[in-house]
Amino acid sequence: MFYEKSAWKKQKNCGTSSLLPMTPTKPQEWLQVVGHAGSFRVGDCGTLLKKFCEEERQCYLRLMGDTLRPFVPAYHGVVQRDEQNYNMMDNLLTHFNSPAIMDCKMGSRTYIEEELFWARERPKPRKDMYEKMVAVDPEAPTPQEREQQAVLKTRYMQWRESLSSTTTLGFRIEGFRRSNEECHTNFKRTKSRDQVMEALDSFVESNSHIVWGYLRRLKQLRQVLELSDFFRAHEVVGSSLLFVHDWTGRTGVWMIDFGKTRALPPHLTLDHRSPWVEGNREDGYLWGLDNLIDILTKMLPVTCHP
Ligand code: I3P
């Protein structure tokens, strides 16, 4: 997720930027904080190119006609560079000055039901994920996983969810980068409300004005999500909220990363707050947003509580 000058975030699935005009005010840059390296490159005229993903393209096309449009990067179609296709979208960082950015992965689940199906049908134990697991907790693998030196992706994802606040709060901090600093991505064990609050406070550098700005925007987003046709009809998994602020006090939050967002069958809609049971497709997105809003509210001085 975070950003170092030039290409930013996740490789497979996402994008940024929204209501911002396309006229750049300064040389373009894109800072990637977390996610798959090499997924992004800076486009022309305030745009960002993200490696092509058909599912994500479908989502952006629908989102451009939905009430959520102000909360996602404006989408400009598919372009090719060096024989690689990209989804082109606005670069959300364009109108910020040396921004601070944070990626929060939303929802109580980070894999889609389809992935569970394939893990059962054609299990493919992953050595890279085993290695990532033991690097964090050498005791985590089961005896069988230890013997294979490999874990299934869904098992790894579930382990990551329960280690972090995904399972308990419905979102997790993936990483952040304060203005002109290194990226901080050491949040795999950031799980409790207090730990999350501490990390958020460090991101905003205890600045209540910034917290206010984020809260205002998140509350608007929640209202729009509750009315959005797109949101009602999609399982939104592995999607992030991108937080951006700078020293001028400007703040913004956008929904990004729709590579694992899937349209539901016509008879099914989600409330995004109910617990997930396999088959119900619930993603816990709004439950996570409620918790995030609650935590940010508690970070304000008591006299400022709404
Ligand atoms: C990665 C993270 C990504 C996931 C990726 C994982 O783990 O869960 O969301 O990509 O799977 O390796 P970590 O954050 O611990 O490094 P997707 O969301 O696109 O599945 P991958 O290695 O199969 O890309």
Side-chain angles (χ1 to χ4, degrees):
M1 112 179 185
F2 282 134
Y3 311 18
E4 282 305 8
K5 295 186 175 164
S6 80
W8 92 301
K9 229 187 121 138
K10 304 198 66 170
Q11 234 178 356
K12 293 181 184 169
N13 320 326
C14 55
T16 30
S17 170
S18 105
L19 293 176
L20 305 175
M22 296 256 306
T23 317
T25 54
K26 60 187 188 311
Q28 290 303 288
E29 58 182 36
W30 181 245
L31 310 169
Q32 178 162 5
V33 183
V34 294
H36 308 93
S39 280
F40 293 88
R41 58 194 281 176
V42 173
D44 300 328
C45 302
T47 61
L48 182 74
L49 309 182
K50 183 178 178 190
K51 270 194 186 160
F52 182 74
C53 164
E54 174 58 23
E55 287 82 3
E56 188 157 39
R57 182 180 84 94
Q58 291 295 334
C59 286
Y60 274 114
L61 288 174
R62 289 180 210 132
L63 283 163
M64 290 304 98
D66 190 82
T67 48
L68 277 172
R69 182 171 178 160
F71 293 91
V72 297
Y75 178 66
H76 303 292
V78 183
V79 295
Q80 200 178 55
R81 297 281 184 281
D82 303 326
E83 298 182 5
Q84 167 72 49
N85 284 342
Y86 292 89
N87 281 317
M88 179 163 70
M89 56 199 82
D90 278 0
N91 182 342
L92 294 166
L93 306 184
T94 302
H95 295 274
F96 288 88
N97 281 297
S98 303
I101 54 182
M102 175 173 70
D103 183 307
C104 284
K105 190 172 276 197
M106 299 304 292
S108 54
R109 179 162 57 90
T110 57
Y111 53 90
I112 50 179
E113 290 198 4
E114 207 178 291
E115 290 180 273
L116 268 186
F117 172 80
W118 287 114
R120 287 184 196 123
E121 286 295 301
R122 287 194 213 133
K124 285 191 197 139
R126 300 242 324 236
K127 289 193 181 303
D128 61 327
M129 288 187 157
Y130 176 85
E131 275 154 28
K132 285 201 282 187
M133 186 183 254
V134 292
V136 176
D137 180 3
E139 304 303 315
T142 62
Q144 192 193 358
E145 288 164 348
R146 206 177 301 280
E147 197 181 317
Q148 291 187 325
Q149 301 272 294
V151 293
L152 292 177
K153 177 167 175 175
T154 43
R155 149 83 170 127
Y156 176 79
M157 303 291 263
Q158 286 164 349
W159 169 77
R160 285 274 278 116
E161 289 164 9
S162 57
L163 197 69
S164 67
S165 56
T166 292
T167 309
T168 48
L169 294 172
F171 74 94
R172 72 177 179 229
I173 298 171
E174 288 279 271
F176 66 67
R177 180 189 190 267
R178 290 183 294 246
S179 177
N180 297 319
E181 285 188 15
E182 298 296 304
C183 296
H184 298 268
T185 55
N186 190 16
F187 299 106
K188 285 196 172 68
R189 287 179 179 277
T190 302
K191 185 181 173 87
S192 70
R193 261 171 203 270
D194 286 350
Q195 287 171 322
V196 170
M197 198 184 286
E198 195 182 321
L200 293 174
D201 188 59
S202 163
F203 170 59
V204 300
E205 300 179 78
S206 305
N207 184 331
S208 302
H209 175 78
I210 301 293
V211 176
W212 256 119
Y214 282 142
L215 266 175
R216 255 196 315 272
R217 176 85 170 159
L218 289 174
K219 286 180 181 176
Q220 287 164 358
L221 171 63
R222 181 165 60 183
Q223 277 184 341
V224 175
L225 284 169
E226 283 171 340
L227 298 172
S228 158
D229 291 335
F230 176 92
F231 195 55
R232 197 175 306 116
H234 285 77
E235 174 188 15
V236 183
V237 167
S239 177
S240 288
L241 286 178
L242 178 73
F243 292 71
V244 190
H245 67 267
D246 65 17
W247 60 269
T248 68
R250 184 168 186 189
T251 54
V253 182
W254 291 270
M255 294 172 76
I256 58 169
D257 295 354
F258 298 104
K260 294 211 286 189
T261 292
R262 295 286 183 273
L264 298 165
H267 64 276
L268 194 63
T269 56
L270 304 185
D271 64 29
H272 301 276
R273 285 191 173 95
S274 299
W276 175 61
V277 181
E278 193 174 349
N280 76 358
R281 311 278 296 265
E282 287 289 352
D283 53 34
Y285 193 109
L286 280 179
W287 176 56
L289 186 54
D290 291 340
N291 282 322
L292 184 51
I293 288 173
D294 189 52
I295 291 170
L296 283 166
T297 304
K298 295 210 165 76
M299 286 166 59
L300 290 171
V302 176
T303 49
C304 297
H305 281 195

